[in-house]
Amino acid sequence: MSADGPVLRFAPSPNGRLHLGHAYSALLNADLAARMGGLCRLRIEDIDPLRSKPDFVDGIVADLGWLGLTYPEPVRRQSRFMAAYRSARDGLIGRGLAYPCFCSRREIRALAAAGGDTPRDPDGGPLYPGRCRRRDPAEVADRLARGDPHTWRLDMAAALGCAGSPLGYRAFTTGGERWVTADPARWGDAVIARRDVPTSYHLAVVHDDAAEGITHVVRGRDLEAATDLHVLLQVLLGLPVPRYRHHRLLRDGSGEKLAKSRGSRALADLRRDGVLPEEIRARLGFA
Ligand code: GLU
């Protein structure tokens, strides 16, 4: 294990209990780090003040320990770094690359419905039609001064103009690397800071991957499209672009992706039922 070698990370959000899909991702990260002579860090992505719960953090630590995974200290907790995310956000605002958006989710859905055949982002959400980008600056200043709730959105066209091209990243496998061209425009004017906290997942994750010196990001294919946006943010913020690998997602018996929201069985339940960590490792291909 070398401080100058590859650095990977497993970065769960403590808004539920870990399931086999998380175990796969955590074991794969640890396995790759060991093979590459690097280390794997644990990061708790708890920016969501409502959904993140201390019990889930304890559960994550207990489950990973049970699987035999240990991580260097200190374990980063994103909720402690809001000031850093705010300053990254404010930097983008100051350069005219982000604007406040006062639209509620419901309004955005209605705007999209009124627009007929709405373009969608890679997650299936309607692309933001840009209403607040076109607002009169005096009205915006007024509403900000009044404290109207708002998110901050990236002005995608301005951001792309500033970043220049070509945007992309190196995707790595055990066999080698290939260049992947990134197409962040498919996210439209993405939210970089939520109403309740001065960041979004996207901004916090690129900030922290750089802050923690992460050289290789290994995460599920469900985040593959988000990487395009992350590369854009990295270039805008002057951060290094790590190498990426997007791993397969585990499916349940009906072919659905395992997810907390669908009540996939938690590792804690398997443990309680007497399943051994070696069995989990073997089942996931890490025997
Ligand atoms: N915190 C994210 C999740 O639990 C993962 C973020 C990442 O690996 O980039 O889905």
Side-chain angles (χ1 to χ4, degrees):
M1 193 159 92
S2 130
D4 304 327
V7 185
L8 289 76
R9 87 301 195 272
F10 175 58
S13 304
N15 51 22
R17 300 190 300 165
L18 299 187
H19 54 64
L20 278 175
H22 297 108
Y24 178 72
S25 198
L27 287 166
L28 181 61
N29 268 287
D31 187 61
L32 289 171
R35 279 168 199 265
M36 294 192 290
L39 58 87
C40 179
R41 311 196 66 93
L42 173 65
R43 180 194 308 148
I44 301 295
E45 299 211 323
D46 56 350
I47 61 161
D48 190 321
L50 293 177
R51 295 175 68 215
S52 302
K53 303 268 186 275
D55 279 1
F56 291 136
V57 178
D58 296 345
I60 287 170
V61 171
D63 288 345
L64 294 171
W66 176 67
L67 283 173
L69 297 171
T70 54
Y71 297 91
E73 293 287 340
V75 169
R76 191 175 177 97
R77 305 256 318 235
Q78 290 192 320
S79 54
R80 302 192 179 141
F81 293 89
M82 291 295 173
Y85 309 139
R86 180 179 289 111
S87 105
R89 178 201 73 180
D90 289 350
L92 294 171
I93 298 170
R95 289 154 66 196
L97 301 177
Y99 62 88
C101 175
F102 304 95
C103 299
S104 66
R105 281 203 187 150
R106 190 176 337 145
E107 279 170 322
I108 294 170
R109 273 198 305 272
L111 284 172
D117 208 3
T118 320
R120 308 242 149 213
D121 71 24
D123 284 346
L127 277 193
Y128 181 63
R131 178 160 80 163
C132 286
R133 187 180 355 98
R134 294 185 290 270
R135 274 191 205 282
D136 172 38
E139 183 204 339
V140 171
D142 232 40
R143 293 185 71 164
L144 287 177
R146 242 184 6 228
D148 274 10
H150 57 279
T151 61
W152 288 90
R153 288 184 180 274
L154 197 63
D155 181 332
M156 183 54 77
L160 289 172
C162 178
S165 58
L167 290 171
Y169 59 91
R170 284 179 290 184
F172 76 103
T173 58
T174 22
E177 291 184 2
R178 74 192 163 92
W179 176 258
V180 177
T181 303
D183 176 20
R186 57 192 172 140
W187 289 99
D189 289 357
V191 172
I192 54 152
R194 302 157 36 135
R195 286 169 176 232
D196 51 351
V197 287
T199 185
S200 63
Y201 155 63
H202 303 298
L203 187 61
V205 82
V206 299
H207 180 279
D208 283 4
D209 283 338
E212 295 199 287
I214 305 300
T215 57
H216 294 70
V217 172
V218 178
R219 59 186 179 194
R221 281 201 192 124
D222 50 345
L223 291 170
E224 188 160 12
T227 301
D228 290 10
L229 183 56
H230 297 176
V231 169
L232 172 61
L233 290 172
Q234 283 152 353
V235 171
L236 293 175
L237 296 169
L239 305 175
V241 178
R243 290 170 170 78
Y244 284 91
R245 174 157 165 173
H246 300 101
H247 63 68
R248 70 185 172 95
L249 300 175
L250 267 60
R251 313 257 159 204
D252 63 17
S254 54
E256 289 288 335
K257 179 182 113 178
L258 297 184
K260 297 172 221 186
S261 53
R262 269 191 289 277
S264 297
R265 280 191 85 206
L267 293 177
D269 293 338
L270 298 170
R271 180 167 77 221
R272 194 199 49 216
D273 293 351
V275 176
L276 297 174
E278 301 78 64
E279 294 174 60
I280 304 276
R281 286 173 168 271
R283 181 166 161 194
L284 297 176
F286 296 98

